[in-house]
Amino acid sequence: MTATITRILVIEDEEPIRRFVRMSLEMHGYRVLEAGSAAQGLQCAVAELPDAVVLDLGLPDQDGLEVIRQLRDWSSLPIIVLSARGREADKVLALDAGADDYLT
């Protein structure tokens, strides 16, 4: 039996991008939780236990790779990286850290 993803945490510091992702996900019936920093995102993940995370790597207070590692310390929830970093090496680092997918 496949688990249903209903609540997605979007961790993105750029408000216009976060708003676009939120609206796109809500149009498909998802409930969206939002965080504008790594600290807020990690707190929200612990408090709300989302079904999946959409994560930007370029956060102001901490690199997204470290956020992935911290989430993986206690959770196996799906993590999708959404980043402007398009180099192959960045993708490999994120996937090796524990991300499930990487979108540029």
Side-chain angles (χ1 to χ4, degrees):
M1 183 173 192
T2 308
T4 301
I5 295 175
T6 58
R7 293 182 312 152
I8 299 175
L9 171 58
V10 177
I11 306 173
E12 166 64 64
D13 63 313
E14 294 185 39
E15 201 275 329
I17 295 172
R18 193 171 63 239
R19 182 181 28 195
F20 173 77
V21 173
R22 182 193 73 233
M23 289 172 33
S24 298
L25 291 169
E26 286 176 345
M27 284 178 33
H28 287 90
Y30 296 104
R31 183 171 152 235
V32 178
L33 308 165
E34 296 181 55
S37 69
Q40 290 173 346
L42 290 167
Q43 288 175 342
C44 186
V46 169
E48 299 291 332
L49 299 173
D51 299 303
V53 172
V54 174
L55 172 68
D56 178 30
L57 294 181
L59 299 169
D61 58 337
Q62 189 174 58
D63 189 74
L65 293 173
E66 185 57 32
V67 174
I68 295 169
R69 290 183 191 104
Q70 289 183 37
L71 288 170
R72 285 293 173 247
D73 281 346
W74 61 271
S75 175
S76 62
L77 62 92
I79 300 171
I80 300 169
V81 172
L82 180 61
S83 180
R85 298 180 192 175
R87 295 179 330 148
E88 195 68 28
D90 292 321
K91 294 176 185 179
V92 170
L93 286 171
L95 295 170
D96 284 349
D100 294 284
D101 207 347
Y102 193 109
L103 304 170
T104 53

